[in-house]
Amino acid sequence: MIPMIPPILDFATGRLAGAELVEKSTTLADLQGLFVDPHAEAALPSETRLYRVAMLPGHGGEGDLNMGVTYLEAGRVGQEFFMTRGHLHARAEQAEYYFGLCGQGVLLLQDMAGVCRLERVFAGSVHHIPGHVAHRLINTGETQLSALAVWPAVAGHDYGALGARGFDLRVLAGEDGTPRIVTSAGQAT
Amino acid sequence: MIPMIPPILDFATGRLAGAELVEKSTTLADLQGLFVDPHAEAALPSETRLYRVAMLPGHGGEGDLNMGVTYLEAGRVGQEFFMTRGHLHARAEQAEYYFGLCGQGVLLLQDMAGVCRLERVFAGSVHHIPGHVAHRLINTGETQLSALAVWPAVAGHDYGALGARGFDLRVLAGEDGTPRIVTSAGQAT
């Protein structure tokens, strides 16, 4: 019996290879109204790709796990850094692990009471996302941000759970380009 | 609000840092009788450390995930390469992901019907371990083998599930030191 060559994740580049991947791209049009500045949003091509997720094909079922890599482009909508839509799990008690691979960013975590936490994302950063905590990646760097994720196959996505309020924090670029964290009402934190 | 610095996994060395880790060491004495050659086992100091697992402190509970890194030393008990005890999950339907970090080895997978599969483990290798599949790491290289694991907090360990039979395959060093796979009865596969 010869040992099989499994799929390979290149930690240096974030590239996933060696398996039939399931891929999903998200454009600015898909996230209409998510960014704070509608004029800046309208000024960008709606087909601008913000991020892509590549995952191993899942077989699903109770107890199974999925894995995938998110590739979030560098860029801004006005002063606001490119970010993922963010979500809570449909089975809200299900947790997730993220591992930063390439680039620089932050992971925004928000619990059901609205309490927010930010964690720096970089090559090798380890992020435990407990159940009942909404999560969003934000690329504050000048290169693509990629992160490995492992999550329960039954978790699912609930994009509406935060309601009209959405996440309570936004990450904008200050005048010198460095990240500045404000509440969704625009106040500095 | 300043983004927090999370725990860090150094992909180049497998080292986990920045958090209070839970650590567990396993010596040859802990695995008494696991290796095929009792004379070779008796010839080694019983306190010889075979592997160590470092994990982030878990909070447990349904839906939560654990993460840890296994560091499996290079060496042999007679002709048999150092390996982990191997286990099935106590909640057997719970899956796991392994990611090779450093070194060279194989992951031995055995399902409930006794069907075995071997996957090469190396830096960046990605291993999906479905539920109901026993798993063991084997270090066939000349340096420490390390692998990141993510698994459901409720999975638990069942070391007895394979019964007296144990795993059906063993990985031995051939005369030139390269891995040779045999059945537990000693037959080449």
Side-chain angles (χ1 to χ4, degrees), chain B residues 16-28:
Chain B
L16 194 55
E20 288 283 326
L21 302 175
V22 178
E23 298 209 326
K24 184 173 178 241
S25 245
T26 300
T27 64
L28 188 58

Side-chain angles (χ1 to χ4, degrees), chain A residues 93-117:
Chain A
E93 81 286 359
Q94 301 288 313
E96 186 158 357
Y97 259 101
Y98 276 14
F99 301 90
L101 295 172
C102 295
Q104 299 285 336
V106 293
L107 173 63
L108 170 57
L109 301 168
Q110 181 168 322
D111 71 15
M112 301 307 285
V115 177
C116 287
R117 194 159 59 106

Side-chain angles (χ1 to χ4, degrees), chain B residues 94-108:
Chain B
Q94 301 287 313
E96 186 158 358
Y97 260 101
Y98 276 16
F99 301 90
L101 295 172
C102 295
Q104 300 285 337
V106 293
L107 174 64
L108 170 56

